[in-house]
Structures are given as C-alpha cells and as structure tokens.
Amino acid sequence: NNNPKYSEEYVNKGKKAKALILGGKNSKKNKKQKVLKKEKADEEEGKQGGPAELKGDDGKIKYPRLLVEFTVENKAKARTQAVNKAKQATNTQKQKKDQRREKRKKEQE
C-alpha cells in the first residue's frame, strides 16, 4: 500500500518511510530536517517494538487484513498476467507463421 499513514502503523520501517516522504524525494533545501526526522522516526520505531506488537495472545503473528488481501490479489493478478503473456506469445508466433505462408503462396503464384 502506498499510503504512508497505513504503512506507518503496519509495515516495518513505516515511520521511517513516512519521514522520507514528508521531506520530498529530491529536495536539497531541507536536508537537516530530513536527517532529524529520520533520527526521530528511528527512535520511535525502537520504542514501538516492531513485529512483536502484532503477536496475539496465542503467540501467533496477526497480519493486517489489508496486507493479506493485497498479497492474495497480487498473486492472482500475476497468474493471470502470466497466462495472458503466454497466450500473446503463441498468437504472435501463429501470426508470423501465417504471414510467412501467405508470402510463400504469393511468390509461388
């Protein structure tokens, strides 16, 4: 998920990513502010405890619902894309063969 507010809560180094986004990608003007924000984010992340926070009472790690849904959707999309690419490749090969046959027929006539 590209939303820094969501990432801040659920993703490792989310606070650090949010701090980087706040400073802008290529701004040279606020380098000191960026460094301070990074240091502050690192300190806050250390206080949080990271993935240990996501453990439930039974000891299992609980993943955020959206994270699970997105990974499942992305895997399904990747499968369909692979199938579509394979179909496209076979179709282009067939078209090339058909074009070659047509050229040969015209040359023979």
Side-chain angles (χ1 to χ4, degrees):
N1 191 354
N2 290 332
N3 185 351
K5 289 182 182 177
Y6 175 83
S7 298
E8 176 185 16
E9 295 176 19
Y10 295 108
V11 179
N12 277 347
K13 309 247 184 218
K15 291 204 180 235
K16 191 172 186 179
K18 184 180 179 190
L20 289 172
I21 290 172
L22 288 176
K25 289 184 180 178
N26 297 322
S27 66
K28 295 179 183 178
K29 187 178 179 183
N30 299 324
K31 282 192 176 183
K32 285 186 179 179
Q33 289 179 353
K34 281 185 185 179
V35 170
L36 293 174
K37 286 179 184 177
K38 286 180 191 176
E39 289 173 359
K40 189 174 180 182
D42 287 338
E43 288 174 11
E44 288 178 4
E45 190 175 319
K47 291 176 188 173
Q48 267 185 339
E53 246 181 34
L54 299 175
K55 283 191 178 180
D57 297 334
D58 55 355
K60 293 182 180 177
I61 296 176
K62 296 186 177 183
Y63 294 101
R65 180 184 54 82
L66 287 175
L67 189 67
V68 174
E69 286 180 5
F70 286 136
T71 53
V72 170
E73 288 176 9
N74 288 342
K75 285 182 182 179
K77 284 181 186 177
R79 282 187 211 118
T80 56
Q81 283 179 351
V83 169
N84 289 339
K85 283 183 183 179
K87 285 181 184 177
Q88 221 174 17
T90 55
N91 286 338
T92 53
Q93 287 176 353
K94 286 180 185 178
Q95 288 174 353
K96 286 180 182 178
K97 286 180 183 178
D98 291 341
Q99 287 175 354
R100 289 178 192 154
R101 287 180 190 160
E102 288 177 10
K103 278 186 180 180
R104 289 179 189 159
K105 284 182 182 178
K106 286 182 183 178
E107 290 175 359
Q108 289 177 356
E109 293 174 352

